[in-house]
Amino acid sequence: DAPLWGARPVHAGRRRMDDGQEEAPSELNPVNMARFLELAKDKLTVRYVGKGNHAHDVGAIQANRPVPRHVYACYFELSVLNPGARGSFAVGFAERSFELTRKPGWEPNSYGYFAEDGRKYSGSERGELYGPPCGGGDVIGCGFDCSTSTIFFTRNGVLLGTAFRAVPPIELLPTVGLHSPNETVRLNFGRQPFAFDLGGWKRLQRRARYADVLAMPMGAADVLALVRGYCLHHAFADTHATLCAEAGSVGEHTAIAADARDGVALADGASAAAGAGGWAEGS
């Protein structure tokens, strides 16, 4: 089961995997920041100090690390400390080469939710209706469901629904764009409790997907193939042999057993369980 990045407790550092380690975003990056912005010492609170008179006066900033791709979902929240003169800010995801004088959503490979009008934007300055406008005191959440390649947003702990689908497998960073005097926001990458119940959301998503699988029509042969594939994947050689024998596929199991003798890793169930690894999900 893949870990859920963003759920407490988050150790904003490494989560171990069998094939390496990934770092989760933990703060804003003072190097990847536009002018017109003032970043506090906590590297989580940012204020717009420009005049915001022109479209190119946007001040954008990105997180210190991209979204980890080997997690179930990634999520962070933005608290509006001061909406400024117009509340003209946006939050979302963008690639590392994103133009920092633009809002996330205006440029290709960027996705944003705009507080001023509640619209969603992706690769265009013409947004689409999505959610309510946001202002002072609101908490906006931004999530990437890595299991479905979709992006969603929340407002004050309430899910607004899927905003973007079929997001390509590119490196994306949490991104914020501010655009009116004195706008001030604070980011939360999991050091503090979220307004949104991320763990509960994951449980509901899993149940829905289980229900979809159970509703799929499958014949006896399909079920047998699925179970046998599971046994092979997890190296349950004895169980696979029994299934093959009962299904009359003794020849197939004999070939697999020969491969195992030549060094293919097919062990019995106990050996496979003892060697299993993966990420530990936060409690």
Side-chain angles (χ1 to χ4, degrees), residues 166-278:
V167 178
I170 58 175
E171 184 181 76
L172 293 174
L173 290 90
T175 305
V176 178
L178 308 181
H179 198 206
S180 72
N182 296 315
E183 285 178 355
T184 308
V185 298
R186 178 180 296 130
L187 280 292
N188 176 18
F189 293 102
R191 296 180 186 176
Q192 302 298 324
F194 289 132
F196 179 61
D197 182 6
L198 189 60
W201 169 85
K202 179 184 177 182
R203 290 189 291 273
L204 289 176
Q205 293 294 104
R206 290 180 62 188
R207 290 171 187 167
R209 286 166 195 164
Y210 289 158
D212 290 341
V213 172
L214 292 175
M216 293 174 60
M218 295 185 68
D222 296 325
V223 174
L224 178 61
L226 182 65
V227 174
R228 287 166 59 185
Y230 177 88
C231 291
L232 286 175
H233 178 75
H234 292 281
F236 296 149
D238 294 341
T239 304
H240 183 270
T242 301
L243 288 171
C244 287
E246 292 181 355
S249 302
V250 178
E252 178 184 347
H253 174 69
T254 301
I256 294 173
D259 288 339
R261 287 194 298 271
D262 291 336
V264 176
L266 267 178
D268 59 21
S271 298

Side-chain angles (χ1 to χ4, degrees), residues 32-160:
N32 211 18
M33 179 179 76
R35 64 194 187 104
F36 307 125
L37 295 181
E38 181 180 83
L39 183 63
K41 291 183 179 180
D42 62 6
K43 295 185 180 180
L44 298 172
T45 306
V46 61
R47 182 168 71 97
Y48 186 83
V49 296
K51 295 183 179 180
N53 293 330
H54 307 286
H56 59 268
D57 288 346
V58 174
I61 186 169
Q62 295 185 303
N64 60 337
R65 303 184 189 104
V67 170
R69 299 302 300 217
H70 294 88
V71 293
Y72 187 92
C74 310
Y75 181 79
F76 68 97
E77 289 185 341
L78 175 151
S79 296
V80 185
L81 304 184
N82 186 340
R86 299 187 304 274
S88 183
F89 57 91
V91 59
F93 295 101
E95 61 183 350
R96 193 181 296 274
S97 60
F98 174 75
E99 176 58 55
L100 295 176
T101 59
R102 306 279 285 169
K103 292 181 184 178
W106 280 351
E107 295 294 300
N109 295 324
S110 71
Y111 308 85
Y113 175 38
F114 284 42
E116 192 172 17
D117 56 13
R119 298 170 79 89
K120 63 179 183 179
Y121 292 72
S122 177
S124 171
E125 293 188 21
R126 296 177 62 87
E128 302 177 26
L129 294 176
Y130 175 64
C134 303
D138 283 335
V139 178
I140 306 171
C142 183
F144 186 99
D145 186 339
C146 301
S147 66
T148 59
S149 296
T150 58
I151 292 174
F152 64 91
F153 296 93
T154 68
R155 177 175 179 267
N156 298 329
V158 178
L159 181 66
L160 299 179

